[in-house]
């Protein structure tokens, strides 16, 4: 493992070991406790695909949050129109039990 900023090179058998060795080398060089040293392990040869994966995961999490919000609004709108839970589930592509769970959660959130 290389710590370019401090011109340190260490070796570890795996990522955990390499991280520890880098922290130890930095702590020794800077004469500070190892507990005060944090490092981010970056594998340069796969940094781009890993960054792409992280971006995709963030986008998925944001899409999931939007879907959850939209589902809650749709359940509320359908039930307010007098549509029963079974039919609401059919329209939403989910089970009537899931509609009931969402309704219960919404009612609980409103009561809090």
């Amino acid at each position: 493992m290389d710590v370019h900023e401090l011109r340190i090179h260490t070796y570890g058998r795996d990522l955990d070991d390499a991280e520890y060795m880098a922290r130890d080398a930095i702590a020794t060089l800077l004469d500070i406790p190892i507990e005060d040293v944090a490092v981010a392990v970056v594998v340069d040869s796969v940094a781009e695909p890993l960054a792409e994966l992280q971006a995709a995961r963030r986008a998925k999490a944001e899409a999931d949050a939007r879907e959850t919000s939209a589902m809650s609004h749709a359940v509320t709108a359908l039930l307010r129109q007098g549509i029963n839970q079974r039919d609401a589930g059919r329209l939403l592509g989910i089970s009537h039990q899931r509609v009931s769970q969402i309704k219960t959660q919404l009612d609980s959130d409103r009561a809090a």
Side-chain angles (χ1 to χ4, degrees):
M1 171 178 263
D2 292 312
V3 182
H4 302 291
E5 296 87 350
L6 299 175
R7 294 185 176 188
I8 296 173
H9 178 80
T10 66
Y11 174 79
R13 293 181 305 272
D14 56 31
L15 292 177
D16 287 337
D17 193 36
E19 179 180 0
Y20 177 81
M21 296 299 288
R23 289 177 59 230
D24 184 55
I26 293 167
T28 301
L29 181 70
L30 299 179
D31 194 28
I32 59 175
I34 192 171
E35 297 81 21
D36 292 346
V37 178
V39 298
V41 176
V42 177
V43 181
D44 290 335
S45 62
V46 293
E48 186 176 327
L50 291 175
E52 185 178 327
L53 174 61
Q54 288 175 340
R57 285 180 172 160
R58 279 192 302 276
K60 181 180 183 291
E62 291 168 3
D64 287 346
R66 285 193 310 274
E67 179 188 20
T68 298
S69 178
M71 182 69 73
S72 296
H73 288 115
V75 166
T76 299
L78 290 167
L79 297 179
R80 281 188 182 154
Q81 291 295 314
I83 295 173
N84 66 45
Q85 291 181 9
R86 186 168 301 278
D87 288 342
R90 184 171 178 187
L91 290 169
L92 296 169
I94 60 176
S95 70
H96 66 278
Q97 294 95 335
R98 183 67 186 124
V99 172
S100 179
Q101 290 172 341
I102 293 169
K103 180 185 180 303
T104 299
Q105 182 63 48
L106 291 170
D107 291 344
S108 173
D109 290 349
R110 286 188 196 109

